[in-house]
């Protein structure tokens, strides 16, 4: 039930029938957490706490460096700030990290963390190491407002948006775990970020934008926008704004090439259809052959994996003249899933058709399946429901889409 402090969150297009609080609860100790704040926001927070403007500007520069470049979690570590000021800062401010409920490591080296917010909500992040890169899969929401039928996260109710601090905090925690402080451009294990964890990033646009700007700041975490990918299921009205205000790489959860099938497995298609979505991709700022748009395509047996589907995918991408790469994703099973994975032979055939048309279509190697860390498997243990309850909830979301 909504309270006075939990008004419905305005979002473009479909609004999930589950009430969504706009903001997280403040810290119980009343302190302001500086993680997630830009340099200017740190300065403003210091000034609001009583520092005179010139000193607030200097201290903000120092604190920003210590938090995002050095990974400091205690003001006592900030050696270029006078010791007498440390207690004053510690009384008013915090440099937090998400709470870790559980950390798991897959047999293939993939790591998954179950995290808990200060107000008691759980969400997940995943780190995937490869020979030439290390990719952190970051969540933007607790749960998800969409109901993609192949996705375990989509069976969860949307609890709330994560704050910019909670999004940046995932990157900070991963850096802690990997021992990657101070921040430096060379020799990192964590080289890439994908906004592909729990939630739809474009339904939490402001927090995602603000968090990624902090991550990309050259004086802090300093990850290039070319190393960051934002994935959307197709929130068309927000895509141009994402390109203009964030400017990172774009990935689109396409997963089907006909209205009938995409309406079923990615229900936001009923609001923003395939043609509208692909035109938004064609208009995405900065997309070119050097920065191709990635189309995610989960392979579902006898649902979207035919030769005809592959040929139609090629036709659509060529019709809209899209600089495209297609990631073919073998379906990752989860308890109660209504689909099966396409056979390896079918996946290879689909890939060959797309490749022969001159479009890259690699098959993604499933990672972290043994710890439910693979694509589409993220779902906190606190959200276990019966199959009947999942089906009922899915129908609620579908009905809300009209």
């Amino acid at each position: 039930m909504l309270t006075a402090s939990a008004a419905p969150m305005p979002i473009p297009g479909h609004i999930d029938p589950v009430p969504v609080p706009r903001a997280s609860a403040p810290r119980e100790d009343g302190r302001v957490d500086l993680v997630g704040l830009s340099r200017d926001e740190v300065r403003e927070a210091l000034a609001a706490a009583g520092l005179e403007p010139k000193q607030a500007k200097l201290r903000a520069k120092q604190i920003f460096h210590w938090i995002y470049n050095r990974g400091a979690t205690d003001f006592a570590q900030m050696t270029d700030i006078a010791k007498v000021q440390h207690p004053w800062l510690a009384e008013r401010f915090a440099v937090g990290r998400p709470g870790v409920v559980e950390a798991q490591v897959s047999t293939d080296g993939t790591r998954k963390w179950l995290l808990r917010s200060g107000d008691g909500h759980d969400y997940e992040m995943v780190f995937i190491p490869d020979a030439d890169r290390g990719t952190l899969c970051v969540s933007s929401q607790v749960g998800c407002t969409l109901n993609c039928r192949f996705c375990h996260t989509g069976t969860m109710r949307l609890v709330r948006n994560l704050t910019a601090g909670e999004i940046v905090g995932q990157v900070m925690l991963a850096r802690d775990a990997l021992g990657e402080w101070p921040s430096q451009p060379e020799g990192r294990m964590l080289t890439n970020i994908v906004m592909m964890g729990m939630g739809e990033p474009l339904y939490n646009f402001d927090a995602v934008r603000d968090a990624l700007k902090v991550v990309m700041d050259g004086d802090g975490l300093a990850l290039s926008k070319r190393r960051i990918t934002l994935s959307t299921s197709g929130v068309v009205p927000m895509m141009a704004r994402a390109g203009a205000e964030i400017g990172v790489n774009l990935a689109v959860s396409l997963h089907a090439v006909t209205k009938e099938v995409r309406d079923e497995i990615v229900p936001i298609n009923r609001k923003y259809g395939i043609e509208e979505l692909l035109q938004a991709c064609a208009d995405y700022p900065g997309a070119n052959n050097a920065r191709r748009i990635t189309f995610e395509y989960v392979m579902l047996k006898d649902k979207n994996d035919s030769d005809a589907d592959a040929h139609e995918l090629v036709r659509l991408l060529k019709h809209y003249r899209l600089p495209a790469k297609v990631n073919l994703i073998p379906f990752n099973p989860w308890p109660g899933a209504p689909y099966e994975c396409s056979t390896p032979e079918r996946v290879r055939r689909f890939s060959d058709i797309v490749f022969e048309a001159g479009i890259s279509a690699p098959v993604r190697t499933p990672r972290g399946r043994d710890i439910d860390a693979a694509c589409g498997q993220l779902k906190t243990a606190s959200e276990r429901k019966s199959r009947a309850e999942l089906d009922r909830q899915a129908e609620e979301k579908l009905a809300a889409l009209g």
Side-chain angles (χ1 to χ4, degrees):
M1 181 177 294
L2 288 177
T3 66
S5 61
M9 178 184 64
I11 53 177
H14 161 56
I15 297 177
D16 192 273
V18 181
V20 183
R22 173 183 286 275
S24 62
R27 289 177 61 98
E28 291 184 1
D29 61 14
R31 294 187 295 167
V32 175
D33 197 329
L34 299 180
V35 171
L37 300 188
S38 68
R39 190 182 294 96
D40 286 343
E41 288 170 331
V42 174
R43 175 184 54 76
E44 290 167 5
L46 294 174
L51 283 188
E52 60 93 18
K54 187 175 292 187
Q55 190 180 36
K57 183 177 181 180
L58 171 62
R59 292 290 180 249
K61 181 178 180 180
Q62 293 169 317
I63 291 171
F64 187 90
H65 174 82
W66 278 104
I67 292 175
Y68 297 120
N69 188 276
R70 309 287 295 184
T73 57
D74 190 322
F75 293 106
Q77 297 172 290
M78 302 181 185
T79 53
D80 56 355
I81 296 176
K83 287 184 179 180
V84 295
Q85 201 164 41
H86 292 166
W88 184 89
L89 289 167
E91 182 181 346
R92 292 162 176 79
F93 302 104
V95 183
R97 295 288 190 270
V100 178
V101 179
E102 184 179 21
Q104 296 175 274
V105 181
S106 168
T107 55
D108 63 24
T110 298
R111 303 188 187 195
K112 183 174 79 167
W113 290 266
L114 175 62
L115 307 176
R116 181 161 294 162
S117 66
D119 56 354
H121 296 303
D122 293 348
Y123 53 102
E124 293 181 331
M125 73 171 186
V126 173
F127 177 71
I128 305 167
D130 284 303
D132 61 342
R133 68 177 61 191
T135 302
L136 186 67
C137 187
V138 175
S139 291
S140 58
Q141 296 179 311
V142 180
C144 188
T145 193
L146 303 176
N147 190 58
C148 299
R149 293 284 286 173
F150 61 87
C151 179
H152 206 191
T153 312
T155 65
M156 294 178 65
R157 292 184 183 275
L158 175 59
V159 179
R160 69 165 172 85
N161 284 335
L162 293 177
T163 66
E166 288 166 335
I167 295 169
V168 175
Q170 294 172 66
V171 185
M172 307 291 282
L173 182 63
R175 282 271 180 88
D176 292 345
L178 297 170
E180 297 205 327
W181 303 110
S183 181
Q184 54 191 17
E186 302 300 329
R188 291 174 174 165
M189 292 178 64
L190 198 172
T191 61
N192 293 67
I193 289 175
V194 291
M195 296 300 306
M196 290 184 188
M198 296 169 63
E200 164 56 65
L202 294 187
Y203 276 163
N204 187 18
F205 181 84
D206 288 351
V208 168
R209 176 200 59 207
D210 294 349
L212 291 181
K213 284 186 175 181
V214 168
V215 169
M216 293 186 288
D217 191 298
D219 293 329
L221 293 167
L223 269 172
S224 164
K225 67 180 181 180
R226 297 178 181 274
R227 294 281 189 169
I228 300 173
T229 299
L230 185 150
S231 177
T232 179
S233 293
V235 186
V236 169
M238 302 300 292
M239 289 171 62
R241 192 175 166 197
E245 296 184 31
I246 308 175
V248 296
N249 300 319
L250 180 68
V252 174
S253 295
L254 188 62
H255 305 306
V257 293
T258 66
K259 173 175 170 52
E260 178 185 13
V261 175
R262 196 163 192 268
D263 279 356
E264 174 189 337
I265 66 176
V266 188
I268 196 175
N269 194 69
R270 297 186 182 186
K271 183 72 175 179
Y272 309 114
I274 293 174
E275 293 78 12
E276 191 177 357
L277 172 59
L278 294 181
Q279 185 59 56
C281 291
D283 296 337
Y284 187 75
N288 54 47
N289 286 329
R291 296 187 65 198
R292 293 175 294 174
I293 295 172
T294 299
F295 290 90
E296 309 286 349
Y297 198 99
V298 65
M299 300 298 294
L300 303 174
K301 183 178 180 181
D302 299 329
K303 177 60 65 173
N304 65 351
D305 62 351
S306 68
D307 285 7
D309 289 318
H311 287 297
E312 177 62 6
L313 176 59
V314 169
R315 188 194 71 78
L316 286 169
L317 296 180
K318 288 184 176 292
H319 176 76
Y320 287 92
R321 300 179 180 178
L322 291 167
K325 170 187 175 182
V326 179
N327 263 351
L328 299 179
I329 307 169
F331 173 63
N332 294 304
W334 42 270
Y339 303 110
E340 297 179 40
C341 183
S342 305
T343 65
E345 295 75 20
R346 182 96 294 273
V347 175
R348 281 196 297 271
R349 172 61 182 159
F350 195 104
S351 176
D352 287 345
I353 291 172
V354 180
F355 263 119
E356 287 164 6
I359 300 169
S360 178
V363 178
R364 182 185 294 176
T365 302
R367 301 290 299 273
R369 274 183 169 178
D370 56 317
I371 58 171
D372 289 338
C375 181
Q377 289 187 316
L378 296 191
K379 186 176 190 291
T380 59
S382 62
E383 280 288 322
R384 300 186 188 281
K385 293 187 176 75
S386 69
R387 182 69 253 170
E389 169 64 10
L390 295 178
D391 286 343
R392 184 198 63 74
Q393 184 176 307
E395 288 307 314
E396 278 185 5
K397 291 187 176 184
L398 287 170
L401 286 164

